[in-house]
Amino acid sequence: MSAPTTTRHERRAEPQNANNRPEDPRPAYRGQAHELFEQKKFYETILNTIYDGVFVTDCNDTITFINNAFSLTTGLPPDRVIGKNILLDILTDVPQHFQHYYAQARSRLTPVHFESIPAATFSGLPIVLSGWCIPKHAEGIFDGMICTFTDITEQQQIKVKLSESETRFRSIAETATDGIITVHSSGKVMFWNTAASVIFGYTESEVMGKEIYQIMPDEVMSDHAQIFAEPEESMSHRSIGTTVEGRARRKDGTIFPIELSIASWMIGAEVYFTAIIRDSTHRKYMEKSLRNSEKELKNLSSRLLLAHEQERKRIAYELHDGLGQILSAAKIGVKTMLDDSAHRLAAGNGNAATGLPAIIQSAIDEVRRISRDLRPSILDDLGIIAAINSFCFDFEKVNDTITIIREISASDGDIPEKIKIVIYRVTQEACTNIVRHSHADRVTVHLSSVSGNIQLRIHDNGAGFDPQTHLTCRESDRGIGLSSMKERIEFSGGRFILTSSPDQGTTVQALWPPVPTEA
């Protein structure tokens, strides 16, 4: 079998087959690599323009990329980071924080979010970071990590300052003596301090989130309902920024007066109202008491003037009817004796002269009685105990149907000078009232001193009366006796106590505390 031969045509074709070899792929690879490189530069440019820090690691946790924000935040330039192991070389100072989240994302192959973790810059400045660890993986095998973070140090500082400010506000608000309540424009209570709980009787847990209308009755909220109207109306309501008087209701249902000051403020589009509330019950009571005291003082002043005039009239009558008549009789006797002395003496009639000493003595006694009523000289000469005993003796002598029982255990030295005349006048006035109104036949006068406390008590077994009825009667019908005693006692620093009831007699009591000794 002969060997195969080739024709000329076939021989010519062989070189052509040699020229038709496969094209070189390297230019195409170079084009793809260039395209990938351009894409990489494009994405790196984008990453370098964002504010969040970004770094990328490979499957061995070696850093392959960081953006500009990473360097700005941490202070680490690329040449100190690229090619370094994130866990072994970079995060050696914070193993308990970022490493934990990085390792968690690596092992689970799922993104992990970290929030407010402490870190430090290259220079040691503390910072706070939040961000994500996003693992790359192929068929369940870890292939690197993309980590992003935001420097929230400033936000954290603001948050801390806000928290401190809120703590200070709460401290001030909780220690305030006025009630402080914050209400949303919808009427819901947002803040309720301790003083508000004391004023209204509701605890904070009972009112927080509740509508203010549930706490205040309709008749009370009608005073303030317009405040919680539409926000634009509320902000210009006349009650805002001013102190007004109103009413409120306690938990037990009692309505009481308040002073209310309201301020409005906004967070975004939400309107809030903060009310400062003061319970004015005590102030109202004091104002009423002051008005009553002023009225009583005016009435007392008027009655004192009348009493002074009556006392002047009484003294004038006593001088005219008593001492005046006695002196007139003495004058007539003297004139008659001088005009007809010789005739009368010759006739043996000496009665005109012998009767004059008795008339003059009567005048002297009358002057002494008037003087004693105005200011008892025995009080200045012998003291309060002798003055009380003398008064009781004279009183029984004039009012022979009344017996006075004296219980006097104090001594003159126990009683301060300034209240001696008060004790005497109160005793005098009380006994005068007994004669006029009580119809008693027995009176007890008690005067004692225990550890510097002075007690005067005058009790009778007479008709008695209802003190409350006496206080509510017309002031002009009360007389000045009890008011005079009360004023004298309280003006001298004592306490006036009156007890009485129908058919049970009356007790007038005065108590004076110890007088402090002068240093």
Side-chain angles (χ1 to χ4, degrees), residues 183-188 211-214 216-240 244-247 258 260 262 271 273:
V183 181
H184 186 262
S185 57
S186 63
K188 289 186 178 181
E211 290 192 356
I212 193 70
Y213 303 98
Q214 297 177 2
M216 304 297 178
D218 293 339
E219 65 271 19
V220 170
M221 283 308 300
S222 62
D223 297 345
H224 318 295
Q226 293 183 3
I227 298 176
F228 305 106
E230 294 297 326
E232 58 268 22
E233 297 178 4
S234 301
M235 296 295 284
S236 60
H237 191 269
R238 63 183 180 85
S239 295
I240 302 297
V244 296
E245 293 191 349
R247 298 169 299 155
I258 61 170
L260 178 67
I262 300 178
V271 180
F273 302 92

Side-chain angles (χ1 to χ4, degrees), residues 86-87 90-100 117-120:
I86 184 66
L87 300 176
I90 304 301
L91 300 178
T92 55
D93 294 335
V94 286
Q96 301 301 320
H97 300 293
F98 179 78
Q99 265 195 0
H100 167 75
I117 65 171

Side-chain angles (χ1 to χ4, degrees), residues 378-396:
I378 191 173
L379 182 64
D380 299 320
D381 297 335
L382 301 178
I384 183 62
I385 306 303
I388 292 292
N389 286 327
S390 176
F391 171 79
C392 292
F393 176 79
D394 293 339
F395 182 84
E396 287 180 313

Side-chain angles (χ1 to χ4, degrees), residues 21-286:
R21 289 176 300 178
E23 294 182 0
D24 188 353
R26 286 179 294 180
Y29 291 153
R30 284 195 296 270
Q32 292 177 357
H34 179 73
E35 183 178 351
L36 289 173
F37 178 76
E38 291 298 326
Q39 288 182 355
K40 180 175 181 250
K41 285 179 60 179
F42 173 74
Y43 288 119
E44 286 180 355
T45 301
I46 293 175
L47 291 175
N48 281 323
T49 58
I50 65 176
Y51 292 103
D52 290 347
V54 179
F55 69 91
V56 180
T57 63
D58 60 15
C59 61
N60 296 316
D61 304 317
T62 299
I63 297 175
T64 60
F65 170 79
I66 64 171
N67 71 341
N68 291 339
F70 179 98
S71 296
L72 289 173
T73 303
T74 64
L76 292 169
D79 58 351
R80 298 184 66 92
V81 177
I82 301 298
K84 300 293 181 66
N85 187 289
I86 184 66
L87 300 176
L88 301 178
D89 300 326
I90 304 301
L91 300 178
T92 55
D93 294 335
V94 286
Q96 301 301 320
H97 300 293
F98 179 78
Q99 265 195 0
H100 167 75
Y101 297 102
Y102 185 94
Q104 192 177 55
R106 194 181 196 283
S107 61
R108 295 180 180 179
L109 297 180
T110 57
V112 173
H113 178 66
F114 55 90
E115 179 71 30
S116 302
I117 65 171
T121 65
F122 178 69
S123 61
L125 184 68
I127 55 176
V128 182
L129 304 177
S130 292
W132 288 87
C133 292
I134 305 171
K136 299 181 294 178
H137 60 89
E139 299 179 356
I141 298 174
F142 177 73
D143 193 36
M145 189 83 70
I146 299 174
C147 294
T148 66
F149 60 83
T150 303
D151 183 0
I152 61 169
T153 306
E154 186 175 353
Q155 293 93 315
Q156 284 293 105
Q157 292 173 346
I158 294 174
K159 185 177 179 180
V160 170
K161 290 180 179 179
L162 286 174
S163 177
E164 292 174 350
S165 178
E166 181 181 1
T167 301
R168 284 194 299 270
F169 166 76
R170 282 190 169 272
S171 176
I172 294 171
E174 289 297 340
T175 56
T177 56
D178 292 337
I180 301 177
I181 302 172
T182 296
V183 181
H184 186 262
S185 57
S186 63
K188 289 186 178 181
V189 177
M190 309 301 293
F191 178 77
W192 186 273
N193 75 338
T194 302
S197 297
V198 174
I199 292 173
F200 291 94
Y202 292 97
T203 63
E204 183 181 7
S205 60
E206 289 178 309
V207 298
M208 289 298 291
K210 303 287 182 62
E211 290 192 356
I212 193 70
Y213 303 98
Q214 297 177 2
I215 303 171
M216 304 297 178
D218 293 339
E219 65 271 19
V220 170
M221 283 308 300
S222 62
D223 297 345
H224 318 295
Q226 293 183 3
I227 298 176
F228 305 106
E230 294 297 326
E232 58 268 22
E233 297 178 4
S234 301
M235 296 295 284
S236 60
H237 191 269
R238 63 183 180 85
S239 295
I240 302 297
T242 61
T243 299
V244 296
E245 293 191 349
R247 298 169 299 155
R249 182 180 68 182
R250 291 191 175 91
K251 186 178 181 180
D252 61 9
T254 58
I255 305 296
F256 64 101
I258 61 170
E259 290 179 1
L260 178 67
S261 178
I262 300 178
S264 61
W265 46 283
M266 298 180 68
I267 298 180
E270 300 295 326
V271 180
Y272 297 86
F273 302 92
T274 296
I276 299 177
I277 299 171
R278 177 172 296 176
D279 184 352
S280 58
T281 303
H282 181 68
R283 180 179 64 81
K284 293 285 186 182
Y285 171 78
M286 294 302 295

